[in-house]
């Protein structure tokens, strides 16, 4: 009986570690996305206006294309990192 409760406690601790790592990854991704889309595209646009990229200023570029490209990169990074995290915790789909 004690062995079952010890195993259950270890499983609960492993599950907690998995979800903490997952939530940390989500929060970091959302912070990066908010910084790029809202920060660079809106708040920091006046500071970035002197830097030319493709015939327009860098702030406008971040607002139009940069935030979308960073969002796509974050999607691929999240999928790659979650596959590694799943394999580390033994919950992979393979």
């Amino acid at each position: 009986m004690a062995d079952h409760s010890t195993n259950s406690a270890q499983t609960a601790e492993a599950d907690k570690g998995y979800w903490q790592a997952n939530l940390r990854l989500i929060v970091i991704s959302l912070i990066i996305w908010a910084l790029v889309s809202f920060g660079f595209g809106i708040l920091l646009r006046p500071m970035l206006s002197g830097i030319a990229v493709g015939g327009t200023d860098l702030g406008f570029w971040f607002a139009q294309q940069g935030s979308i490209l960073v969002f796509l990169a974050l999607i691929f990074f999240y999928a790659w990192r979650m596959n590694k995290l799943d394999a580390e915790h033994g919950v992979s789909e393979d």
Side-chain angles (χ1 to χ4, degrees), residues 3-17:
D3 185 36
H4 177 68
S5 64
T6 304
N7 189 22
S8 178
Q10 289 174 345
T11 303
E13 189 65 32
D15 290 347
K16 184 178 178 182

Side-chain angles (χ1 to χ4, degrees), residues 11-24 85 89:
T11 303
E13 189 65 32
D15 290 347
K16 184 178 178 182
Y18 174 77
W19 283 109
Q20 283 179 342
N22 185 9
L23 289 176
R24 186 178 329 112
L85 189 65
H89 289 274

Side-chain angles (χ1 to χ4, degrees), residues 4 16 28 35 39 41 45 49-50 68 79-80 82 85 88:
H4 177 68
K16 184 178 178 182
I28 290 170
L35 178 68
R45 184 161 186 242
S49 64
I68 295 169
W80 169 77
M82 279 306 297
L85 189 65
E88 290 171 8

